[in-house]
Amino acid sequence: HSSLVFIDSKKLRVEEAPPSRVLHIRKLPNEASETEVIALGLPFGKVTNILTLKGKNQAFLEMGTEEAAITMVNYYTTVTPHVRNVPVFIQYSNHKELKTDAGNQRTQAVLQAVSAVQSGGSPSSDVQEALAAASSPVLRIIIDNMFYPVTLDVLQQIFSKFGTVMKIITFTKNNQFQALLQFSDPVNAQQAKLALDGQNIYNSCCTLRIDFSKLVNLNVKYNNDKSRDYTRPELPAGDGQPSIDPSVAAAFSKDSNSLLGKIPGALNPLSAAAAAAAAAGRVALAGQAGSSGVLLVSNLNEEVSNTSTHTLYGDVQRVKILYNKKDSALIQMSDTNQAQLAMSHLNGQKMYGKIIRVTLSKHQTVALPRDGLDDQGLTKDYANSPLHRFKKPGSKNFQNIFPPSATLHLSNIPQDVTEDDLRLLFSNAGGTVKAFKFFQDRKMALIQMSTVEEAIQALIDLHNYNMGGNQHLRVSFSKSTI
């Protein structure tokens, strides 16, 4: 590489090179890696080549376009770039491109890995953040807006797309779920941070906030659901923690809104729905040992009768309004999966003007009042309700479970009922009908309300509505729009 000319730093002031997509970087610390140099250029565009001159603490970085190089130089004239906390100097090179041996496979591999990460979405955090070059293989991960449980397995799923995950420790600090995750190589940690920082694990919640940890190696004592050393499967579970049962792995579905791919595992009838839930960017965990089929729903509108909520997701067995807290109720579903699904779809939705909260209860069942004792009608048993839609195992209905949406799917419509009849029926439920469309056979239709809240209301009021001749209307949320 003798063809490269090094300019004496004093002359520089005089003869600044004209703009070029090749940048000359000086005063790099001895231990700086190629990836760290590449990280300087990444926020500004594609990096197409690099040549590091180890002995001279210098490097040449080739950007994909001259515009990217100009933006980069302009930025770094106002903000001093640092590599490993050491200030470095950047200027245009006299070279118009870098001719390095294509045989330099390692460099090419690094560039490819980095650009693959980049095409997956450029770093969303500000440029400054993206430049905090990695020297540690350990990331510190904080999860904001954690409305759904994020487990150690979920983190392993997501982060292993960027390299070998060796160890994970999870803990709660300041009421926030946090994790330390160690890759086999700092390069992987850097790529994962660039690609994932600021991303949501599930649609519009569980936001990843990622930094490099000061630790460079994690010490894991136990393999359980709080910590894991993948290099030492023989570690004890410790602390009476259960070792992880792989069946806890969730039924996730590939979806643009969700960072998770599918986890293989035995799927039960509800997993189609669980997958549909995940496809909507929500999560439904497969039945976990010890979790219950009972939900605690709070912030309900007290004026409204307790029958209303029970037709939305899954088959409700019993509902108990809490005597001393009438805006809350315990709802027993027929199994854990249905409870998980109802929780993931209904938590945070608006119902009768109030945003409801849905969590799993520690109760395993909802008890009926003892014989002869009246609890003012606060407990209702729906075990034999005609409204159940999911009684048959493997029922097709499981596949048609979608999150609340403004568009409703109607079925079981009698032959003589017209579009006007249905529009009237649904607008009387207290909403505005925006659109309507019959399916070909006219037994089914889509109807669009003006808000999700109106649609929830209409479903509650009109599912199982008697249309005459003992034909009951079926109403569910649709994934289609009109």
Side-chain angles (χ1 to χ4, degrees), residues 167-181:
K167 303 170 189 179
I168 304 179
I169 297 173
T170 63
F171 53 97
T172 302
K173 187 174 169 186
N174 308 335
N175 285 333
Q176 265 192 315
F177 178 84
Q178 303 196 9
L180 292 168
L181 182 144

Side-chain angles (χ1 to χ4, degrees), residues 9 217 437:
S9 59
N217 189 24
K437 185 173 126 205

Side-chain angles (χ1 to χ4, degrees), residues 252-266:
F252 290 112
S253 158
K254 278 237 183 294
D255 166 57
S256 57
N257 291 330
S258 175
L259 288 171
L260 293 156
K262 237 194 179 79
I263 301 175

Side-chain angles (χ1 to χ4, degrees), residues 421-458:
D421 296 333
L422 290 164
R423 278 177 176 268
L424 187 65
L425 184 64
F426 278 78
S427 47
N428 283 347
T432 310
V433 175
K434 294 287 252 222
F436 182 92
K437 185 173 126 205
F438 265 122
F439 283 62
Q440 263 182 324
D441 64 358
R442 296 179 70 87
K443 288 201 182 82
M444 295 195 285
L446 292 176
I447 190 163
Q448 186 185 338
M449 307 303 287
S450 62
T451 64
V452 174
E453 189 184 4
E454 285 182 8
I456 291 177
Q457 186 64 58

Side-chain angles (χ1 to χ4, degrees), residues 368-438:
L368 288 171
R370 289 199 295 284
D371 284 351
L373 284 177
D374 175 27
D375 71 349
Q376 303 169 350
L378 292 178
T379 309
K380 291 258 201 303
D381 189 4
Y382 293 105
N384 301 313
S385 162
L387 297 173
H388 287 181
R389 331 170 175 219
F390 306 107
K391 284 202 283 276
K392 300 188 203 73
S395 154
K396 276 275 296 248
N397 288 345
F398 283 127
Q399 292 156 37
N400 297 323
I401 299 183
F402 300 108
S405 60
T407 306
L408 296 168
H409 179 274
L410 315 181
S411 59
N412 212 26
I413 302 168
Q415 284 297 281
D416 52 352
V417 169
T418 66
E419 174 175 337
D420 286 348
D421 296 333
L422 290 164
R423 278 177 176 268
L424 187 65
L425 184 64
F426 278 78
S427 47
N428 283 347
T432 310
V433 175
K434 294 287 252 222
F436 182 92
K437 185 173 126 205
F438 265 122

